[in-house]
Amino acid sequence: MSRASNSRTAQRRAGSGKKPKSPEDEIFKDPKRYEEFCNNLSDKLERDKLTFDEFAFVFFNTKRPLEPIISLQTSTEELFYGSYDGPIRCFSSATGKRTQTLRGHNSWITDLELIKKSKVFDVLEKDIDNLLKEEEANTKLDGNQELESRKELILFSSSKDGDIKCWELTRGKAIKSFSNPENKPVTCMKVCTLPQSNKKPFCAGGSTDGSVTLWDLETNDIKQIFTGHASTVSCLDFNESKLFSGSWDSFVKMVDLEKDDAVTVLRPSNSPIKSVAANNNDLFAGCGNGMIYHLDLRTNQVVATFRGHTEGVLCLRIYDEGHLLSSSDDSSVVLWDVKTKELLHAYCGHKDAAPSISITEDDKTVYSGGLDKTIRRWAVEPKIKIVEQERTLQDHKKKLEELYKSIKPANTGGRRRGDTRPTSNRSNRSNR
């Protein structure tokens, strides 16, 4: 064969687009080797299950007991929680030691939210600069531990005293305070940013009279007050340009702030709404009857129901595109598969209701706070990996079974496996 023909052959092979076969491709064609592969997967899965511990950390203070945890936020370095008495207590997530106490509210802390400073710096720059002039920053709050995350974050808090406060964490002082009209209790809060719009960030707060108030973060002025709920607004969430409010009146209201404040009314059931979480076209509503309703925002219809809690669903958090977390009056924290609606795991460490869940933005660590005065850190990512291993193993077992069915012993004329009689004898008997 000439060099030219060799070159053409090589070009045809290179241009065929076929990937070189991997060793696994050959394993999947050999039943015995494939079965051994499945056994190895099964052994690894069993080992992972044996070493799985649902909570990696439980935080409580024996010297100075925690208060019941009503609201909770976490960074990679700190835990912030609010209770019935007003102060916001801060602890190191590494050592468990108290780093600071933020004082300013005089009633229970209904909600907390950590926001990256870069998202709101333009509208808070003057307030931050004024505070910087007053005193020197103090990020070394726990011995010699440098809390770098404080430089990057702003904390917002809402309270039944009728105020929402904005905290500069390196100073531990409030730089903004938004007051509800007539000092109505603020029952929930959400900081809303519109990166694709010219509109400035704002803060939304729900109240006991069924109203939702929007404040301008820069001027402290009230931008708008939405009314319509017949009872207490229990929860708020914001996704893209839409603000969602859930109420004890069993309705969820959706306001599109980029479409002339168009309001859509949703009612997944006749049970009070305790929590909401929105992600793209999906809305999840946790109710007093223990159900979580999944609504498709393209049709505004309920498309599925998550069943597992026995009491009201107090908090919902989106973990990632495929997983949802919920906590309840029944004291459990539950991990759900959004696609299959399957309850993947119920974390049952709290001894009382668990009103709050927090997921650190940087490393996806999951914490929950309970009325039992404990904060627990849960092993969510390891559980998801175990579930993925289980599903992968089941898929391989099905393929192995199909492979066995497809294989026919040579020279049997299609006889059944295990039939060792000579072919001629069987044919003679059939002719008799």
Side-chain angles (χ1 to χ4, degrees):
M1 186 180 290
S2 67
R3 290 183 179 178
S5 61
N6 286 337
S7 176
R8 285 195 296 271
T9 303
Q11 287 176 0
R12 282 197 300 271
R13 289 174 178 173
S16 65
K18 292 183 179 179
K19 296 181 180 180
K21 292 183 178 179
S22 68
E24 282 192 350
D25 291 336
E26 296 302 320
I27 290 174
F28 299 155
K29 293 178 181 179
D30 184 333
K32 291 184 179 179
R33 294 174 67 191
Y34 199 176
E35 188 169 353
E36 184 180 356
F37 174 83
C38 290
N39 289 336
N40 290 336
L41 284 182
S42 181
D43 291 342
K44 183 180 183 305
L45 175 60
E46 291 304 315
R47 289 195 300 271
D48 290 346
K49 283 182 176 181
L50 287 173
T51 57
F52 173 72
D53 186 359
E54 68 174 12
F55 63 89
F57 175 81
V58 55
F59 176 70
F60 60 93
N61 198 326
T62 54
K63 293 182 179 179
R64 297 178 64 184
L66 303 185
E67 298 298 320
I69 287 83
I70 304 298
S71 49
L72 177 69
Q73 280 286 278
T74 57
S75 69
T76 53
E77 295 179 307
E78 278 186 286
L79 313 173
F80 305 84
Y81 87 86
S83 190
Y84 297 114
D85 55 353
I88 300 166
R89 295 169 175 87
C90 318
F91 293 85
S92 166
S93 57
T95 66
K97 295 180 180 179
R98 184 174 295 193
T99 54
Q100 197 173 30
T101 301
L102 306 176
R103 301 183 185 278
H105 292 293
N106 56 36
S107 186
W108 76 9
I109 307 300
T110 55
D111 220 339
L112 292 171
E113 185 172 6
L114 281 170
I115 295 290
K116 286 194 173 180
K117 192 177 287 186
S118 57
K119 292 184 178 181
V120 293
F121 184 76
D122 290 344
V123 295
L124 297 178
E125 184 177 6
K126 291 181 181 178
D127 302 281
I128 293 173
D129 286 344
N130 289 337
L131 188 61
L132 289 174
K133 294 174 183 177
E134 293 179 9
E135 56 184 283
E136 188 177 345
N138 178 22
T139 58
K140 291 185 178 180
L141 298 173
D142 182 17
N144 294 320
Q145 185 182 2
E146 192 79 21
L147 299 177
E148 289 295 328
S149 60
R150 283 181 165 247
K151 298 177 182 179
E152 308 297 329
L153 298 169
I154 294 284
L155 179 68
F156 287 81
S157 61
S158 64
S159 171
K160 285 199 170 183
D161 63 11
D163 288 344
I164 293 175
K165 293 186 182 295
C166 172
W167 303 86
E168 211 287 326
L169 294 174
T170 60
R171 273 65 174 178
K173 289 193 173 182
I175 56 174
K176 286 270 190 184
S177 186
F178 311 94
S179 296
N180 220 1
E182 303 174 3
N183 290 323
K184 292 177 293 188
V186 182
T187 53
C188 52
M189 171 204 62
K190 192 67 185 176
V191 179
C192 309
T193 58
L194 294 160
Q196 307 301 326
S197 170
N198 293 325
K199 293 184 178 181
K200 294 180 180 180
F202 61 91
C203 187
S207 189
T208 51
D209 65 351
S211 64
V212 177
T213 304
L214 307 187
W215 285 272
D216 187 307
L217 285 184
E218 185 173 23
T219 65
N220 287 37
D221 295 334
I222 292 176
K223 295 178 57 176
Q224 201 165 359
I225 298 178
F226 294 100
T227 59
H229 282 297
S231 188
T232 297
V233 177
S234 55
C235 49
L236 292 170
D237 200 12
F238 185 76
N239 182 244
E240 296 176 346
S241 64
K242 300 178 180 68
L243 177 65
F244 300 87
S245 61
S247 169
W248 292 358
D249 64 7
S250 77
F251 288 96
V252 178
K253 296 200 173 183
M254 177 178 69
V255 181
D256 194 326
L257 300 171
E258 288 189 341
K259 293 184 179 179
D260 300 322
D261 300 332
V263 178
T264 303
V265 180
L266 309 168
R267 194 184 194 194
S269 75
N270 59 3
S271 181
I273 306 293
K274 296 291 188 79
S275 53
V276 291
N279 184 41
N280 299 324
N281 292 316
D282 298 313
L283 175 68
F284 303 93
C287 294
N289 60 6
M291 305 294 186
I292 302 170
Y293 297 94
H294 179 189
L295 295 94
D296 188 330
L297 295 176
R298 292 166 294 190
T299 62
N300 296 331
Q301 298 296 315
V302 174
V303 294
T305 303
F306 296 78
R307 304 172 188 273
H309 287 296
T310 58
E311 297 184 47
V313 181
L314 302 178
C315 185
L316 289 171
R317 292 285 185 264
I318 305 292
Y319 182 77
D320 57 27
E321 290 294 327
H323 300 92
L324 176 72
L325 285 160
S326 62
S327 65
S328 168
D329 264 322
D330 64 15
S331 79
S332 67
V333 176
V334 173
L335 173 66
W336 304 91
D337 186 308
V338 171
K339 185 177 180 180
T340 66
K341 314 302 180 277
E342 181 184 356
L343 191 160
L344 299 181
H345 192 74
Y347 299 89
C348 301
H350 288 294
K351 306 302 181 185
D352 205 337
S356 54
I357 300 173
S358 179
I359 306 172
T360 57
E361 186 174 351
D362 294 332
D363 60 7
K364 304 294 283 184
T365 303
V366 176
Y367 295 86
S368 65
L371 298 185
D372 60 358
K373 303 182 181 182
T374 66
I375 297 171
R376 294 175 180 268
R377 184 173 69 209
W378 302 106
V380 171
E381 192 62 32
K383 183 60 187 180
I384 292 174
K385 289 180 179 178
I386 286 175
V387 172
E388 289 173 351
Q389 285 179 262
E390 289 174 332
R391 291 174 177 173
T392 299
L393 179 59
Q394 289 303 316
D395 289 342
H396 280 300
K397 284 183 175 180
K398 288 179 182 178
K399 290 177 182 177
L400 177 60
E401 187 177 347
E402 291 170 0
L403 179 61
Y404 270 126
K405 288 180 180 179
S406 66
I407 294 175
K408 297 178 181 179
N411 301 321
T412 63
R415 75 180 76 171
R416 294 180 181 177
R417 190 184 304 166
D419 188 352
T420 57
R421 292 176 295 154
T423 306
S424 58
N425 290 346
R426 291 191 296 113
S427 61
N428 292 337
R429 287 190 179 185
S430 62
N431 290 332
R432 289 177 183 175

